[in-house]
Structure formats: structure tokens, C-alpha cells
């Protein structure tokens, strides 16, 4: 997996990349400057990513609800990670689309958290796919892991915005290695989010961008 590689290994993969791209990999995290997140979103867009699919429990938020959260959406919104508080609005402002893909059946809660954390306007642009039996993917793709969730969210976004989203233009961020493995096996770009070192996510996203440029120029 891209995110499981050390920075040294990543540098070996892109040994021929220019100095600016190598510098991106040497930075372990972003600042709290919103412009940095806009730049990172622009890098993703330049790497032909148009859908950022984010897991909920232990990824978007720093706790696991177990599908049994009994408190308010506002209380759970306090657990939204600082990285995503800035990355998600920046991605949408840059023209990327964002979806939350989760196994929790409490999708009403996820919607409420998004509204509390990002405001109603941003939350309304983010489809949520969870195990609430409110949707069914009937396409030709596989449904294992988060594949069906992403495909269904992509279908909604394509109809809503008259755009084209495919597996190769989707990036999944998930803390479950099984979901990441299945995504990669089926042509979706994916990053293993590491709850014990959440600051790595910025560097891991950058490596996806660097790897795309390296592969495109080879």
C-alpha cells in the first residue's frame, strides 16, 4: 500500500521526480493554514482524482461509535479530526467531490456530524453511504468492502453534477486495511489511514499525487 511505505521507499519509487515533489514527501504534515489544504486538494485534482471517499469511524472522527452512539451529533462532531475540518471544505472549494463511506447504520448521525462540523451548505454536498439499507448498488462493479458504497455515492454525484467518476479517479481514505486492499485490487486508489499517527495523512496523499506523476511520465 502507498501509505504503508516509508518515506525512503517512496523516494526510491520517485527517484526521478523533480526536487519540488520530493520536498512534498519530506513534509510529515500540513500546518493549520487553509491555503495549504487548498494546495493539497489542487495536487489531488492534478493527479486526476475527482472523488475523495472518506471512512467515518476512526478516520473522519477520532473515535469509534460501534454504530451505537447515543449522544448528540454536536457532541460527536467534536471528534472530527483537525485535518478533515480543513481538507474537506478545501477539496469541495477546489472542485473535488467528497463522500462518506461507512459501515455504521447511523447515517442520520453522520449527516448531523457533517452539518455541525462543516455547516449545512458543505454537508449538503457530501453523500453518505452506510449500512442503513436506504440504498442499493445495482451496477456491474463489485460490492465487497467499501466498493458498493463508493459506487453508489459516485452514481449520485454523477447525476447531480453531470460529471464522470470512475474507480481510477476515486481516492479512498480508510483505517481498515481490508477495505484498502480491496479498493486497490479493484482499481481504486486508496490510503490506509493510521489512527496512531494521523499526521501522516497529508504526506500519504502527497505520495499518491507524486506516484501518479511518476507513473504518467514513465
Amino acid at each position: 500500500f502507498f501509505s504503508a511505505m516509508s518515506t525512503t521507499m517512496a523516494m526510491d519509487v520517485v527517484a526521478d521526480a523533480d526536487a519540488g515533489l520530493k520536498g512534498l514527501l519530506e513534509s510529515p504534515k500540513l500546518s493549520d493554514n487553509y491555503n495549504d489544504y487548498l494546495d493539497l486538494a489542487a495536487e489531488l485534482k492534478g493527479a486526476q482524482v475527482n472523488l475523495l471517499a472518506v471512512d467515518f469511524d476512526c478516520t473522519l472522527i477520532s473515535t469509534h461509535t460501534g454504530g451505537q452512539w447515543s449522544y448528540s451529533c454536536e457532541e460527536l462532531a467534536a471528534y472530527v479530526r483537525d485535518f478533515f475540518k480543513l481538507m474537506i471544505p478545501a477539496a469541495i472549494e477546489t472542485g473535488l467531490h467528497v463522500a462518506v463511506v461507512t459501515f455504521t447504520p447511523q447515517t442520520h448521525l453522520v449527516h448531523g456530524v457533517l452539518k455541525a462540523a462543516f455547516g449545512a451548505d458543505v454537508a449538503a454536498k457530501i453523500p453518505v453511504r452506510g449500512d442503513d439499507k436506504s440504498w442499493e448498488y445495482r451496477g456491474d462493479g463489485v460490492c465487497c468492502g467499501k466498493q458498493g458504497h463508493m459506487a453508489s455515492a459516485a452514481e449520485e454525484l454523477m447525476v447531480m453534477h453531470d460529471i464522470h467518476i470512475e474507480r481510477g479517479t476515486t481516492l479512498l481514505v480508510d483505517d481498515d486495511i481490508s477495505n484498502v486492499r480491496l479498493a486497490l485490487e479493484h482499481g481504486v486508489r486508496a490510503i490506509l489511514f493510521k489512527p496512531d499517527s494521523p499526521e501522516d495523512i497529508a504526506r500519504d496523499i502527497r505520495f499518491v499525487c507524486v506516484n501518479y506523476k511518476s507513473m504518467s511520465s514513465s
Side-chain angles (χ1 to χ4, degrees):
F1 305 109
F2 295 154
S3 58
M5 290 184 177
S6 69
T7 301
T8 301
M9 291 173 67
M11 298 298 247
D12 289 340
V13 171
V14 292
D16 295 329
D18 60 58
L21 289 175
K22 290 180 181 179
L24 291 175
L25 291 179
E26 292 168 354
S27 175
K29 59 183 177 181
L30 290 175
S31 70
D32 57 0
N33 186 334
Y34 184 64
N35 288 331
D36 289 337
Y37 292 80
L38 289 173
D39 290 343
L40 185 57
E43 291 172 34
L44 278 175
K45 193 172 183 179
Q48 302 304 306
V49 171
N50 63 1
L51 174 58
L52 177 62
V54 183
D55 172 50
F56 187 67
D57 288 302
C58 289
T59 303
L60 178 61
I61 60 174
S62 60
T63 189
H64 202 298
T65 65
Q68 299 179 336
W69 183 261
S70 58
Y71 302 102
S72 71
C73 299
E74 290 74 18
E75 288 174 283
L76 188 56
Y79 290 92
V80 173
R81 295 185 189 275
D82 290 342
F83 174 82
F84 290 110
K85 286 179 183 177
L86 295 175
M87 186 64 204
I88 286 177
I92 291 173
E93 182 176 340
T94 306
L96 302 180
H97 299 279
V98 178
V100 174
V101 290
T102 175
F103 289 145
T104 182
Q106 293 182 296
T107 51
H108 66 285
L109 180 71
V110 179
H111 283 290
V113 167
L114 293 174
K115 186 175 180 180
F118 303 110
D121 288 346
V122 170
K125 297 175 181 177
I126 305 174
V128 174
R129 290 297 184 273
D131 289 357
D132 60 356
K133 298 182 180 179
S134 68
W135 59 276
E136 182 180 2
Y137 174 61
R138 298 180 179 178
D140 296 329
V142 297
C143 291
C144 53
K146 296 288 177 69
Q147 298 303 106
H149 297 65
M150 290 186 285
S152 176
E155 286 181 341
E156 177 180 332
L157 289 166
M158 286 190 287
V159 170
M160 186 182 303
H161 300 285
D162 192 24
I163 57 170
H164 183 68
I165 299 172
E166 56 189 52
R167 287 177 291 181
T169 66
T170 300
L171 175 63
L172 171 67
V173 180
D174 200 309
D175 72 301
D176 189 323
I177 195 169
S178 297
N179 294 329
V180 171
R181 179 184 294 114
L182 285 166
L184 291 172
E185 287 176 353
H186 292 93
V188 175
R189 286 182 272 185
I191 291 173
L192 178 64
F193 185 84
K194 300 180 284 294
D196 293 337
S197 52
E199 68 279 0
D200 288 351
I201 183 60
R203 183 182 61 199
D204 291 344
I205 288 176
R206 283 166 167 157
F207 180 67
V208 169
C209 300
V210 171
N211 185 69
Y212 175 83
K213 181 172 182 178
S214 177
M215 296 289 288
S216 298
S217 61
S218 62

